[in-house]
Amino acid sequence: SFIPPEITKPFWISSEDASPEYFEQLGQFVNSLTLNVTPETAATACNQFLIYVLPKDRDKFRKKCDIESARVRRDNASQMFALREVRTDAKNRRVVLLGVLSTIIGDKPVSKSNEAYLIEFVHSDGRFYVANQEKVNVDDPFSTKKVSN
């Protein structure tokens, strides 16, 4: 298993399970890699994020990352996610992060929106990996309905 770089609450990890606090902190770390980016940091953050993705899924996530990194550089965009709430479903190894996503183009703020992101983890080869990360409905974040970006 991998340990979040900053530990803010005690947690436990066993051979195939972990506490809600572990998934909460892991989710916050992983989400920050993809949502707190600038044109200068987007590619590095993407590569860092891919380390935590299940190896068989890395190509799929790399394509998504590359498209997003190119968009951030092209638009000279920066975005920041201000976390407001974390909801954890440790039994199903998933966490939802709710907060405000702010986007700046150049030096002009262009959007500020309430967003929710679901991160699902899978256990493989003795550690947890990201299996999915997606924007979800703020009002029903654990629903299986997709939200368009």
Side-chain angles (χ1 to χ4, degrees):
S1 291
F2 68 90
I3 306 296
E6 183 178 346
I7 298 169
T8 57
K9 296 179 184 175
F11 60 81
W12 57 263
I13 305 171
S14 68
S15 61
E16 292 197 16
D17 207 1
S19 68
E21 296 81 8
Y22 174 78
F23 291 113
E24 178 181 322
Q25 292 176 74
L26 197 54
Q28 288 179 60
F29 168 67
V30 168
N31 223 38
S32 72
L33 291 173
T34 58
L35 294 179
N36 296 326
V37 294
T38 67
E40 296 79 22
T41 65
T44 302
C46 177
N47 288 331
Q48 184 72 31
F49 172 77
L50 291 171
I51 292 169
Y52 303 108
V53 171
L54 193 61
K56 73 176 186 64
D57 294 335
R58 285 189 184 143
D59 284 343
K60 175 181 76 171
F61 279 94
R62 180 178 306 282
K63 287 176 186 155
K64 195 171 150 183
C65 256
D66 288 347
I67 290 167
E68 187 61 17
S69 292
R71 182 196 63 79
V72 166
R73 286 191 308 276
R74 180 195 70 222
D75 296 347
N76 193 26
S78 298
Q79 64 181 33
M80 287 94 18
F81 184 73
L83 182 66
R84 195 180 66 240
E85 181 185 350
V86 180
R87 297 182 193 166
T88 306
D89 176 6
K91 179 180 163 207
N92 293 304
R93 299 178 178 153
R94 56 191 192 156
V95 63
V96 166
L97 299 121
L98 296 105
V100 176
L101 183 67
S102 301
T103 303
I104 299 168
I105 304 289
D107 60 356
K108 294 185 170 116
V110 294
S111 71
K112 209 175 230 191
S113 57
N114 289 318
E115 303 292 350
Y117 295 89
L118 172 70
I119 302 174
E120 296 172 302
F121 297 97
V122 63
H123 190 272
S124 178
D125 299 324
R127 65 172 276 197
F128 289 100
Y129 290 94
V130 174
N132 185 38
Q133 180 195 33
E134 64 185 326
K135 186 189 290 191
V136 293
N137 186 318
V138 173
D139 297 320
D140 189 11
F142 285 115
S143 157
T144 56
K145 295 176 189 160
K146 303 270 187 207
V147 173
S148 63
N149 290 332

